[in-house]
Amino acid sequence: MVFARLLSLARLIDRLNETVGRAVTWLVLVAVLISSGNAVMRYGLNMSSNAWLEIQWYLFSLIFLLGAGYTLKHNGHVRIDVVYGRLSARARAWIDLAGDLLFLLPMAALIGWLGWTGFHQALSIGEMSPDAGGLARWPIRLAIPFGFLLLALQGLAEAIKRAAYLFDGVPPDSEAGEETA
């Protein structure tokens, strides 16, 4: 089996994104609590803080950036299934493999690299929010390359699973109880 070691790597990536994704779900609760508390403070006590507003924005960003790999693992991204859903499993696997290799991985690598550059610049100049009482910007800028790294890793895992299915006849991974190809 040519893909045995690569499939082990894919399972490791799956576990990483599963762990991060499950942890990120708790950020939704934190964001709701902070948003609610912020609304009570603003409208009930006539007090406001830019820092608390920015924390909401940071949490929202973290949920989407760090949850992208988890969403890809669970096939939760939006896709147009008008034609795709009517194709055979092999044709869908070819489309997924081509999409991963030609679009997802190059895009994630480019945005991750540009995000790292933006993070490094923000850190080196000590970038802060322009709003009074705002937060440092470098921590959230670090989430951009990290989130796209997780997405790229999951894209690699999905490409490995599709290639193993297409070239070695390895049935779709059902470790999580779902089809991947």
Side-chain angles (χ1 to χ4, degrees), residues 69-95:
Y70 175 85
T71 305
L72 179 61
K73 177 186 180 294
H74 290 280
N75 198 23
H77 286 285
V78 174
R79 80 169 64 204
I80 300 171
D81 285 336
V82 174
V83 175
Y84 181 89
R86 296 180 184 185
L87 298 174
S88 69
R90 288 189 63 77
R92 289 192 311 266
W94 276 111
I95 290 170

Short mmCIF file of all heavy atoms in Angstrom, two decimals, residues 69-95:
data_model
loop_
_atom_site.label_atom_id
_atom_site.label_comp_id
_atom_site.label_asym_id
_atom_site.label_seq_id
_atom_site.Cartn_x
_atom_site.Cartn_y
_atom_site.Cartn_z
N GLY A 69 -10.13 24.63 9.13
CA GLY A 69 -9.64 23.27 8.91
C GLY A 69 -10.63 22.22 9.41
O GLY A 69 -10.87 21.21 8.76
N TYR A 70 -11.20 22.48 10.58
CA TYR A 70 -12.22 21.60 11.16
C TYR A 70 -13.44 21.51 10.22
O TYR A 70 -13.97 20.43 9.98
CB TYR A 70 -12.62 22.16 12.52
CG TYR A 70 -13.76 21.43 13.21
CD1 TYR A 70 -13.51 20.30 13.98
CD2 TYR A 70 -15.06 21.90 13.12
CE1 TYR A 70 -14.55 19.65 14.62
CE2 TYR A 70 -16.09 21.26 13.77
CZ TYR A 70 -15.84 20.13 14.51
OH TYR A 70 -16.86 19.49 15.15
N THR A 71 -13.84 22.64 9.68
CA THR A 71 -14.98 22.68 8.77
C THR A 71 -14.68 21.89 7.50
O THR A 71 -15.53 21.15 7.00
CB THR A 71 -15.36 24.13 8.44
OG1 THR A 71 -15.60 24.82 9.67
CG2 THR A 71 -16.60 24.20 7.57
N LEU A 72 -13.47 22.03 6.97
CA LEU A 72 -13.08 21.27 5.78
C LEU A 72 -13.08 19.77 6.09
O LEU A 72 -13.56 18.97 5.28
CB LEU A 72 -11.70 21.71 5.29
CG LEU A 72 -11.17 20.98 4.06
CD1 LEU A 72 -12.10 21.18 2.86
CD2 LEU A 72 -9.76 21.44 3.75
N LYS A 73 -12.56 19.39 7.24
CA LYS A 73 -12.53 17.99 7.64
C LYS A 73 -13.94 17.39 7.65
O LYS A 73 -14.14 16.25 7.25
CB LYS A 73 -11.91 17.84 9.03
CG LYS A 73 -11.90 16.41 9.55
CD LYS A 73 -11.40 16.36 10.98
CE LYS A 73 -11.38 14.95 11.52
NZ LYS A 73 -12.68 14.35 11.68
N HIS A 74 -14.90 18.17 8.08
CA HIS A 74 -16.29 17.70 8.17
C HIS A 74 -17.11 18.05 6.92
O HIS A 74 -18.33 17.93 6.94
CB HIS A 74 -16.94 18.25 9.43
CG HIS A 74 -16.39 17.64 10.67
ND1 HIS A 74 -16.78 16.41 11.12
CD2 HIS A 74 -15.42 18.07 11.52
CE1 HIS A 74 -16.09 16.11 12.22
NE2 HIS A 74 -15.26 17.10 12.48
N ASN A 75 -16.42 18.47 5.86
CA ASN A 75 -17.07 18.79 4.58
C ASN A 75 -18.20 19.81 4.76
O ASN A 75 -19.27 19.69 4.19
CB ASN A 75 -17.60 17.51 3.92
CG ASN A 75 -17.87 17.68 2.45
OD1 ASN A 75 -17.31 18.57 1.81
ND2 ASN A 75 -18.73 16.84 1.90
N GLY A 76 -17.93 20.82 5.59
CA GLY A 76 -18.96 21.80 5.92
C GLY A 76 -18.88 23.10 5.16
O GLY A 76 -19.70 23.99 5.36
N HIS A 77 -17.90 23.24 4.27
CA HIS A 77 -17.81 24.47 3.50
C HIS A 77 -18.88 24.50 2.42
O HIS A 77 -19.32 23.46 1.93
CB HIS A 77 -16.41 24.62 2.87
CG HIS A 77 -15.36 24.98 3.86
ND1 HIS A 77 -15.23 26.23 4.39
CD2 HIS A 77 -14.39 24.23 4.43
CE1 HIS A 77 -14.23 26.25 5.24
NE2 HIS A 77 -13.70 25.04 5.28
N VAL A 78 -19.27 25.67 2.03
CA VAL A 78 -20.32 25.84 1.02
C VAL A 78 -19.79 25.34 -0.32
O VAL A 78 -18.67 25.63 -0.71
CB VAL A 78 -20.72 27.33 0.90
CG1 VAL A 78 -21.69 27.54 -0.23
CG2 VAL A 78 -21.30 27.82 2.21
N ARG A 79 -20.61 24.57 -0.99
CA ARG A 79 -20.27 24.14 -2.34
C ARG A 79 -21.56 24.03 -3.13
O ARG A 79 -22.63 23.86 -2.55
CB ARG A 79 -19.49 22.83 -2.35
CG ARG A 79 -20.32 21.59 -2.18
CD ARG A 79 -19.59 20.31 -2.46
NE ARG A 79 -18.53 20.12 -1.53
CZ ARG A 79 -17.45 19.39 -1.76
NH1 ARG A 79 -17.32 18.75 -2.88
NH2 ARG A 79 -16.51 19.26 -0.87
N ILE A 80 -21.44 24.12 -4.42
CA ILE A 80 -22.61 24.03 -5.29
C ILE A 80 -22.72 22.59 -5.75
O ILE A 80 -21.88 22.10 -6.50
CB ILE A 80 -22.50 25.01 -6.48
CG1 ILE A 80 -22.38 26.43 -5.95
CG2 ILE A 80 -23.69 24.86 -7.41
CD1 ILE A 80 -22.05 27.46 -6.98
N ASP A 81 -23.74 21.90 -5.26
CA ASP A 81 -23.87 20.47 -5.51
C ASP A 81 -24.79 20.11 -6.68
O ASP A 81 -25.14 18.95 -6.83
CB ASP A 81 -24.41 19.77 -4.25
CG ASP A 81 -23.36 19.64 -3.18
OD1 ASP A 81 -22.17 19.67 -3.52
OD2 ASP A 81 -23.72 19.50 -2.01
N VAL A 82 -25.13 21.07 -7.50
CA VAL A 82 -26.05 20.79 -8.60
C VAL A 82 -25.50 19.68 -9.50
O VAL A 82 -26.20 18.73 -9.83
CB VAL A 82 -26.33 22.07 -9.43
CG1 VAL A 82 -27.17 21.77 -10.65
CG2 VAL A 82 -26.99 23.11 -8.56
N VAL A 83 -24.24 19.78 -9.87
CA VAL A 83 -23.61 18.77 -10.72
C VAL A 83 -22.83 17.78 -9.86
O VAL A 83 -22.93 16.57 -10.05
CB VAL A 83 -22.69 19.44 -11.76
CG1 VAL A 83 -21.93 18.40 -12.57
CG2 VAL A 83 -23.48 20.35 -12.67
N TYR A 84 -22.07 18.27 -8.93
CA TYR A 84 -21.17 17.46 -8.10
C TYR A 84 -21.91 16.31 -7.42
O TYR A 84 -21.42 15.19 -7.40
CB TYR A 84 -20.51 18.38 -7.06
CG TYR A 84 -19.54 17.71 -6.14
CD1 TYR A 84 -18.19 17.61 -6.47
CD2 TYR A 84 -19.94 17.22 -4.90
CE1 TYR A 84 -17.28 17.02 -5.61
CE2 TYR A 84 -19.03 16.64 -4.03
CZ TYR A 84 -17.70 16.54 -4.40
OH TYR A 84 -16.81 15.95 -3.54
N GLY A 85 -23.06 16.57 -6.88
CA GLY A 85 -23.82 15.55 -6.17
C GLY A 85 -24.31 14.42 -7.05
O GLY A 85 -24.63 13.34 -6.56
N ARG A 86 -24.37 14.64 -8.34
CA ARG A 86 -24.84 13.61 -9.27
C ARG A 86 -23.71 12.76 -9.85
O ARG A 86 -23.98 11.81 -10.58
CB ARG A 86 -25.61 14.26 -10.41
CG ARG A 86 -26.86 14.95 -9.93
CD ARG A 86 -27.60 15.59 -11.04
NE ARG A 86 -28.75 16.31 -10.48
CZ ARG A 86 -29.64 16.91 -11.19
NH1 ARG A 86 -29.56 16.91 -12.50
NH2 ARG A 86 -30.63 17.53 -10.61
N LEU A 87 -22.48 13.12 -9.52
CA LEU A 87 -21.33 12.41 -10.06
C LEU A 87 -21.02 11.17 -9.23
O LEU A 87 -21.44 11.06 -8.07
CB LEU A 87 -20.11 13.33 -10.09
CG LEU A 87 -20.23 14.58 -10.96
CD1 LEU A 87 -19.01 15.46 -10.79
CD2 LEU A 87 -20.41 14.20 -12.42
N SER A 88 -20.24 10.27 -9.82
CA SER A 88 -19.81 9.08 -9.09
C SER A 88 -18.82 9.48 -8.00
O SER A 88 -18.25 10.57 -8.03
CB SER A 88 -19.14 8.10 -10.05
OG SER A 88 -17.89 8.62 -10.49
N ALA A 89 -18.59 8.58 -7.07
CA ALA A 89 -17.64 8.84 -5.98
C ALA A 89 -16.24 9.11 -6.53
O ALA A 89 -15.52 9.98 -6.03
CB ALA A 89 -17.62 7.67 -5.00
N ARG A 90 -15.85 8.38 -7.58
CA ARG A 90 -14.52 8.59 -8.18
C ARG A 90 -14.43 9.96 -8.84
O ARG A 90 -13.41 10.65 -8.70
CB ARG A 90 -14.20 7.49 -9.19
CG ARG A 90 -13.90 6.15 -8.52
CD ARG A 90 -13.36 5.12 -9.49
NE ARG A 90 -12.09 5.45 -10.10
CZ ARG A 90 -10.91 5.34 -9.48
NH1 ARG A 90 -10.86 4.93 -8.23
NH2 ARG A 90 -9.80 5.64 -10.11
N ALA A 91 -15.46 10.38 -9.55
CA ALA A 91 -15.44 11.69 -10.19
C ALA A 91 -15.38 12.80 -9.14
O ALA A 91 -14.64 13.78 -9.30
CB ALA A 91 -16.67 11.86 -11.09
N ARG A 92 -16.15 12.64 -8.06
CA ARG A 92 -16.09 13.63 -6.97
C ARG A 92 -14.71 13.66 -6.33
O ARG A 92 -14.19 14.72 -6.00
CB ARG A 92 -17.17 13.33 -5.92
CG ARG A 92 -18.58 13.62 -6.41
CD ARG A 92 -19.61 13.61 -5.29
NE ARG A 92 -19.55 12.45 -4.42
CZ ARG A 92 -20.28 11.35 -4.56
NH1 ARG A 92 -21.16 11.27 -5.55
NH2 ARG A 92 -20.16 10.35 -3.71
N ALA A 93 -14.09 12.49 -6.19
CA ALA A 93 -12.74 12.43 -5.61
C ALA A 93 -11.73 13.15 -6.51
O ALA A 93 -10.85 13.86 -6.02
CB ALA A 93 -12.32 10.98 -5.38
N TRP A 94 -11.87 12.98 -7.83
CA TRP A 94 -10.99 13.68 -8.76
C TRP A 94 -11.17 15.20 -8.65
O TRP A 94 -10.19 15.96 -8.64
CB TRP A 94 -11.23 13.23 -10.20
CG TRP A 94 -10.47 11.99 -10.58
CD1 TRP A 94 -11.00 10.76 -10.83
CD2 TRP A 94 -9.06 11.87 -10.73
NE1 TRP A 94 -10.00 9.87 -11.12
CE2 TRP A 94 -8.79 10.53 -11.07
CE3 TRP A 94 -8.00 12.76 -10.61
CZ2 TRP A 94 -7.50 10.06 -11.30
CZ3 TRP A 94 -6.70 12.29 -10.83
CH2 TRP A 94 -6.47 10.95 -11.18
N ILE A 95 -12.41 15.64 -8.58
CA ILE A 95 -12.70 17.08 -8.46
C ILE A 95 -12.12 17.61 -7.15
O ILE A 95 -11.49 18.67 -7.12
CB ILE A 95 -14.21 17.35 -8.56
CG1 ILE A 95 -14.68 17.10 -9.99
CG2 ILE A 95 -14.54 18.77 -8.11
CD1 ILE A 95 -16.19 17.11 -10.15
#
